[in-house]
Amino acid sequence: MTDSPTRIVFRDPQQKLATRVTDLLGRLNLAEKIGLLHQHQAAVPRLGVDAFRTGTEGLHGVAWLGVATTFPQVVGLASSWDPELLRRVGEAVGVEVRAMHHRDPENVGLNVWAPVVNLLRDPRWGRNEEGYAEDPWLTGVLSTAYSRGLRGDHPLWLRTAPTLKHFLAYNNETDRCLTSSNLPPRVLHEYELPAYRPALADGAAVAVMASYNLVNGRPAHLSPLINETLRSWTEDDVMVVGDAWAVHNLAGDQQWSEDHVAGFAAALRAGVDCITEDPAASVAHLTAACEQGLLSESDVDAAVRHILSVRIRLGEFNPEEDPFRHIGPEAVDSAEHRALAREATRASVVLLRNDGILPLNPATPRTVAVIGPLADVTFDDWYSGTPPYRRTLRDGITERIGTVLFHEGVDRVALRCAAGLLVTDHDLLRVRAEHGTPDDALFDVLDWGEETISLRAVSNGLFVGADGLGPEAHRLVHDRPGPNGWEVRETFRFVPVSGGVLLRHVQSGRFLAAGADGVVRTAAEVPADATVFTVDLLVDGVTAAAAVAAQADLVVLALGNHPLVAGRETADRRDLSLPGTQNDLLHAVHAANPRTVLALTSAYPYAIGWAADHLPAVLWSSHGGQEHGAALADVLFGAEPTGRLTQTWYADTGDLPELLDYDIIATDATYLYYRGTPLFPFGHGLGYTTFHHENLRLSATTVDPSGTVTVSVDVVNTGDRAGTEVVQLYTRQQRSRVKQPLRSLRGYRRIHLEPGARATVEIPLAAADLAFWDVTRSRWVVEDAGHTIAVGRSSTDWTQTATLRVDGERIPSRDPRAGLRLIDNDGYDAVLPAPVDRAPGEALRSVHAGAWAVFDDVDFGAGVTSLRAEAAARGEAATLTLRLDDPLSGPVLATVPVPPVEGREELTEVTAGFPPVAGTHDLYLRYDHPDLTVATVTFDA
């Protein structure tokens, strides 16, 4: 007998969600369940279950699906410090996803892969533009707001299903599938995890994507934190998706699993529900895993349950109940969304410096020059949508004042070789014998930095690129709008050789060579087979731009990066320098006209100390989408700049630690621990008026760990125009057992005041938020200590301070009889976290001989005489030396031989006896060999 629709439980909206999921799960056979465990989930016609796909990109607009409203990059949106604005932008994106889904349900899914909550720990990260902030609390606030907009406010039904990316500790592109992010427990609990929890705990996000990298030596797709921690933050089912081909990497590049069957099984058991790679291969691997006993049907059921929970809430089985079913195509690129794009772009602009030259007055006659490679373009990043229109900075200023002077500041060249000139010929590039220099032999050189350039044909204004991918020879064409696509085929490098230069095609790694037919191809694998060109410099872009600058009353100089070149997904930046010849252009234009305002548009910070010292004004914005130029012009001509930086701008690359070192505490990284003087600090941003903060007060000067105090401060607009102040609250613990942050953002308030107006800002501060991770007991602790309470304009510009006393705990001495986990050390040198096959799951492995770890304040009581350690040596036997109070000269407590083992995560127990040791000491464990792993040490009387 077939159930009627009214009696089918999984289609009954009156039933509880868990009941509906259980019913549908029980109707599926094993093969049908496995068919749901990948991105392109198969239909089940016999149950009326349609196909479903995960993975619509929507970081700052709907990407890859045609025309859509395009908002500023995420780092720009975050610079608004405005959660309600972020929610409205998320809502607009979610509405457009819905509209596109209703138009094309087969190709537009409702599972949105956004937001990215990876922290902006290091500004060299190639995907810096995708993140919100270097601060986990601020990232949580803003990403939750954006997720809430995507999701909608209905308690059950979802507009879209937001997915947090990428879990966990993913902040480098260099060898991203092979590198391991080192996360000591405090960095994990105090820095990384807090960025992910808010959106899940709030119910704003319902899914998470695992990251490519390893964490403490274990692939992130196999992290026990997925099931043990991430899913503990909410009572809702959380769907976890794999990143593209990342599960394949387990038995591939990472060589973690024996084969793909074992790797796919391990990922599913670890909590990855939906695999993002070839559907047929995924089904085959998972089916084989079930047949081989590597997966049970209950393992499969757990993953399918998470998926079905999300699908039911998206209204798939109750279209008549779906509150979002009426969203139609008119919602895409609506007038409302266009206005919101301009508002969001304007709010994202940060005024870094201003000596009073801004704002400009459009009523005052003047000649303005708009100069620079970003003056008359807007760029898309990899996750940008297709904007319905583009408004450049030149457009925006021209609309305000009429005609402007303009120069791009790029070189114009001709390229000669022994056979003639490089010319455009229809769609192709070829070498042709010429005596003069015709227009079809002219190319503009766009210098993107890191020795990477593009050539733009003057004959049609389009860019040169290869007409194919792969190692074979491809013809050069000139029909591209610019560098674009996952595999950018429009970039080259000049390689100096005797007699001229070679042109190396970056994507293929091959050199350009002209064939017997004159057609230029990526044909040369080695320099000896390449065509040697000489470069005729016909127009020096820097000199020409400076000449135009000299004719103007004021210059707006537009510099920055191309989001797809020299810093993008798959490629970190080398340093913090301005791209290519832009620094030369900056100096030359300023020398020609000191009244030069720098409008910097970039996906990340730059070390622009000279500009900050010499130019009268500097503005920064991310790449802003369709309204970028209009919004910048709004701010230049008087709209109040309200943006604030969400990451530190360093003065020099040398101020940064190693890119791959994730221990921000040990390396003094991010605004939390950085001891130097930043170029521009976290939280910095100026306006066109001034504010004064006064009369800071606390509702209580002492609080217990469960209490809350209210921090109040009076804010006065002391300027002559209305403006918005972002009052920021920071704390610093004054005394502690451990190294504490120098400053931590605890809250903020945006307040708009008319000239002369005064208002009181109140920000609650819970004592529980002052907790840190106690490595001696593996739990949170609010320590007994005083805390500096500060309000200010940025993380380093504190205007008022007070002291709050917290009656918290005193952390006791360590008890070595209970066992010391090496991962919970108090300090280390030349060791890295490593996975092990038993509790605690992580150990410390030496990088080289002489490495050490320390446990402070270890109480040996009346005396101990022996120890047991879980350890392993790789390759050959090793020794572990334990010393008291000093790693080099302290008395030796014991020397412990450690035998070699075979397995990657295998450990063995080793023991040692020694004369009685009593009292309290610092205990150092010195690794006398490289590749020695120690997980625990336990002492006995």
Side-chain angles (χ1 to χ4, degrees):
M1 177 179 176
T2 303
D3 290 333
S4 66
T6 57
R7 296 178 58 191
I8 297 175
V9 173
F10 77 84
R11 293 187 182 277
D12 185 354
Q14 302 304 314
Q15 298 286 341
K16 291 182 179 180
L17 177 61
T19 302
R20 298 179 66 185
V21 171
T22 299
D23 179 71
L24 179 51
L25 190 61
R27 296 170 183 268
L28 297 168
N29 61 43
L30 180 59
E32 290 166 341
K33 293 173 186 176
I34 291 174
L36 302 180
L37 300 179
H38 55 80
Q39 182 176 21
H40 300 280
Q41 298 171 18
V44 185
R46 69 180 184 86
L47 297 177
V49 176
D50 294 333
F52 181 87
R53 64 168 293 159
T54 62
T56 294
E57 299 289 356
L59 288 184
H60 55 107
V62 186
W64 311 347
L65 295 172
V67 170
T69 307
T70 306
F71 295 95
Q73 292 176 307
V74 175
V75 70
L77 289 172
S79 297
S80 70
W81 288 54
D82 188 341
E84 175 57 19
L85 177 63
L86 269 290
R87 188 202 63 77
R88 290 166 56 209
V89 171
E91 179 179 24
V93 176
V95 165
E96 295 198 3
V97 170
R98 268 285 177 163
M100 293 179 181
H101 172 74
H102 292 159
R103 181 184 65 200
D104 184 7
E106 183 177 347
N107 294 304
V108 182
L110 294 177
N111 169 228
V112 176
W113 286 354
V116 168
V117 296
N118 297 110
L119 297 166
L120 305 184
R121 172 189 62 91
D122 193 305
R124 293 169 295 188
W125 183 32
R127 301 178 75 171
N128 190 84
E129 74 272 8
E130 296 181 34
Y132 288 84
E134 67 181 324
D135 179 77
W137 179 83
L138 184 59
T139 294
V141 168
L142 298 177
S143 61
T144 298
Y146 187 77
S147 298
R148 177 58 62 179
L150 287 171
R151 176 210 183 279
D153 291 325
H154 196 281
L156 172 62
W157 305 110
L158 304 173
R159 181 189 291 119
T160 69
T163 303
L164 304 182
K165 302 195 299 186
H166 310 80
F167 191 79
L168 178 71
Y170 168 43
N171 190 226
N172 64 274
E173 298 304 296
T174 304
D175 295 329
R176 64 180 180 175
C177 295
L178 300 176
T179 57
S180 178
S181 305
N182 55 310
L183 293 187
R186 285 192 61 203
V187 178
L188 171 68
H189 290 281
E190 297 174 28
Y191 190 66
E192 282 288 339
L193 292 178
Y196 295 85
R197 181 169 186 164
L200 291 172
D202 179 74
V206 298
V208 175
M209 176 184 283
S211 56
Y212 283 115
N213 55 288
L214 297 86
V215 177
N216 290 353
R218 177 178 284 108
H221 279 64
L222 302 182
S223 174
L225 294 168
I226 293 174
N227 282 329
E228 295 173 6
T229 301
L230 185 150
R231 287 191 162 115
S232 73
W233 295 331
T234 176
E235 295 180 356
D236 297 332
D237 284 310
V238 176
M239 181 176 72
V240 176
V241 302
D243 209 338
W245 296 97
V247 175
H248 189 91
N249 288 341
L250 296 174
D253 291 345
Q254 293 172 347
Q255 298 183 3
W256 183 272
S257 301
E258 292 181 5
D259 54 35
H260 292 308
V261 172
F264 277 59
L268 201 75
R269 291 196 308 271
V272 176
D273 309 309
C274 185
I275 293 165
T276 309
E277 36 202 277
D278 179 71
S282 298
V283 168
H285 294 322
L286 293 170
T287 301
C290 290
E291 293 170 348
Q292 296 175 24
L294 299 177
L295 286 176
S296 67
E297 188 160 1
S298 63
D299 293 325
V300 174
D301 285 352
V304 174
R305 177 174 291 278
H306 300 142
I307 293 168
L308 294 180
S309 176
V310 171
R311 290 181 61 170
I312 289 173
R313 296 180 68 193
L314 285 167
E316 176 180 345
F317 305 115
N318 304 99
E320 71 286 351
E321 302 285 340
D322 181 1
F324 308 108
R325 65 188 180 279
H326 298 303
I327 298 174
E330 69 281 355
V332 178
D333 184 34
S334 65
E336 179 185 1
H337 291 178
R338 289 188 174 197
L340 180 60
R342 185 155 178 174
E343 177 188 352
T345 309
R346 189 165 53 238
S348 73
V349 177
V350 182
L351 181 60
L352 298 175
R353 168 176 164 75
N354 185 26
D355 71 354
I357 196 172
L358 297 179
L360 306 176
N361 185 351
T364 301
R366 70 180 74 207
T367 301
V368 174
V370 186
I371 292 174
L374 276 72
D376 200 30
V377 294
T378 66
F379 290 140
D380 300 334
D381 62 37
W382 176 241
Y383 293 103
S384 290
T386 302
Y389 57 89
R390 300 174 185 272
R391 306 183 72 181
T392 70
L393 180 58
R394 183 184 183 186
D395 294 335
I397 295 177
T398 300
E399 289 173 7
R400 295 277 183 163
I401 64 173
T403 304
V404 298
L405 303 178
F406 168 72
H407 199 282
E408 201 172 7
V410 301
D411 293 342
R412 179 162 292 177
V413 303
L415 295 168
R416 299 182 184 274
C417 66
L421 277 171
L422 182 68
V423 299
T424 58
D425 183 3
H426 300 289
D427 290 335
L428 300 177
L429 263 67
R430 66 173 64 246
V431 171
R432 186 175 69 208
E434 289 284 353
H435 296 294
T437 309
D439 288 347
D440 60 3
L442 304 180
F443 297 91
D444 292 330
V445 180
L446 285 296
D447 190 340
W448 307 121
E450 299 188 8
E451 300 83 48
T452 304
I453 60 104
S454 291
L455 297 173
R456 186 178 59 208
V458 174
S459 59
N460 64 356
L462 296 175
F463 283 72
V464 173
D467 69 351
L469 292 169
E472 63 271 17
H474 294 288
R475 299 176 303 174
L476 270 289
V477 294
H478 59 102
D479 59 357
R480 309 298 170 77
N484 69 93
W486 179 253
E487 297 278 2
V488 175
R489 291 179 277 171
E490 298 81 23
T491 55
F492 304 87
R493 290 194 175 104
F494 287 126
V495 179
V497 294
S498 176
V501 297
L502 308 180
L503 269 75
R504 185 170 191 171
H505 184 239
V506 174
Q507 185 275 325
S508 66
R510 298 165 70 97
F511 297 91
L512 302 191
D517 57 359
V519 175
V520 177
R521 299 175 175 85
T522 58
E525 296 185 21
V526 295
D529 297 332
T531 298
V532 177
F533 293 94
T534 57
V535 181
D536 294 348
L537 180 61
L538 306 176
V539 176
D540 183 314
V542 170
T543 301
V548 172
Q551 302 171 38
D553 298 312
L554 181 138
V555 176
V556 178
L557 179 61
L559 304 180
N561 78 302
H562 194 297
L564 293 175
V565 185
R568 53 157 293 173
E569 185 169 1
T570 72
D572 295 311
R573 282 194 296 165
R574 180 192 302 164
D575 53 42
L576 304 183
S577 301
L578 283 171
T581 58
Q582 288 189 25
N583 200 51
D584 294 336
L585 182 61
L586 169 66
H587 283 256
V589 168
H590 177 263
N593 191 331
R595 289 174 56 80
T596 293
V597 173
L598 175 59
L600 184 62
T601 299
S602 66
Y604 24 62
Y606 284 108
I608 53 167
W610 188 91
D613 290 340
H614 293 85
L615 269 62
V618 179
L619 301 95
W620 171 80
S621 66
S622 72
H623 294 278
Q626 62 201 52
E627 289 284 353
H628 178 66
L632 267 179
D634 288 346
V635 173
L636 287 168
F637 286 93
E640 178 73 7
T642 59
R644 301 293 186 268
L645 297 179
T646 63
Q647 66 185 136
T648 303
W649 284 46
Y650 295 91
D652 188 82
T653 309
D655 295 334
L656 295 167
E658 291 294 326
L659 176 66
L660 300 181
D661 193 338
Y662 279 68
D663 187 348
I664 65 165
I665 300 175
T667 59
D668 293 336
T670 77
Y671 88 98
L672 294 161
Y673 293 95
Y674 181 56
R675 298 180 180 276
T677 301
L679 179 62
F680 298 113
F682 172 87
H684 173 71
L686 306 176
Y688 290 149
T689 189
T690 56
F691 293 91
H692 178 66
H693 304 166
E694 61 186 26
N695 193 24
L696 175 67
R697 51 208 182 273
L698 308 180
S699 59
T701 57
T702 303
V703 67
D704 63 37
S706 64
T708 297
V709 299
T710 299
V711 180
S712 304
V713 66
D714 296 336
V715 182
V716 184
N717 184 342
T718 55
D720 58 3
R721 55 180 287 159
T724 298
E725 176 73 312
V726 181
V727 182
Q728 301 165 38
L729 172 64
Y730 295 89
T731 68
R732 177 168 61 207
Q733 186 165 330
Q734 296 172 352
R735 179 185 55 79
S736 178
R737 178 190 180 278
V738 300
K739 181 179 180 179
Q740 290 285 349
L742 299 173
R743 55 198 78 83
S744 297
L745 179 69
R746 302 298 184 184
Y748 66 93
R749 289 290 183 271
R750 295 168 52 86
I751 183 170
H752 185 82
L753 293 175
E754 296 297 318
R758 170 190 296 266
T760 298
V761 167
E762 294 184 346
I763 305 174
L765 174 64
D769 292 340
L770 303 176
F772 63 92
W773 189 256
D774 176 16
V775 294
T776 72
R777 294 172 292 178
S778 296
R779 67 171 177 85
W780 292 99
V781 62
V782 177
E783 205 172 16
D784 187 70
H787 293 258
T788 298
I789 308 299
V791 295
R793 302 182 182 93
S794 76
S795 59
T796 61
D797 185 5
W798 292 359
T799 56
Q800 298 271 290
T801 62
T803 297
L804 174 68
R805 178 73 193 179
V806 179
D807 291 332
E809 297 182 62
R810 293 185 181 275
I811 298 173
S813 299
R814 290 182 184 265
D815 180 2
R817 300 168 188 81
L820 303 175
R821 307 187 334 162
L822 268 290
I823 195 69
D824 291 328
N825 65 83
D826 289 302
Y828 65 88
D829 181 61
V831 291
L832 290 172
V836 292
D837 61 359
R838 65 186 77 168
E842 292 177 334
L844 288 187
R845 180 174 298 162
S846 55
V847 176
H848 56 71
W852 55 264
V854 62
F855 294 92
D856 295 335
D857 195 28
V858 178
D859 184 2
F860 291 99
V864 294
T865 58
S866 65
L867 65 85
R868 294 169 282 121
E870 292 184 301
R874 301 287 179 259
E876 59 182 22
T879 56
L880 176 70
T881 301
L882 287 78
R883 290 179 179 267
L884 301 178
D885 302 322
D886 187 277
L888 299 178
S889 60
V892 174
L893 180 64
T895 299
V896 187
V898 181
V901 297
E902 294 297 329
R904 176 181 54 222
E905 299 178 88
E906 185 180 345
L907 295 173
T908 186
E909 182 174 280
V910 293
T911 61
F914 44 83
V917 172
T920 301
H921 300 271
D922 294 340
L923 175 66
Y924 287 85
L925 285 77
R926 187 177 187 276
Y927 294 66
D928 295 331
H929 294 78
D931 223 11
L932 170 60
T933 300
V934 184
T936 62
V937 178
T938 305
F939 290 83
D940 298 301

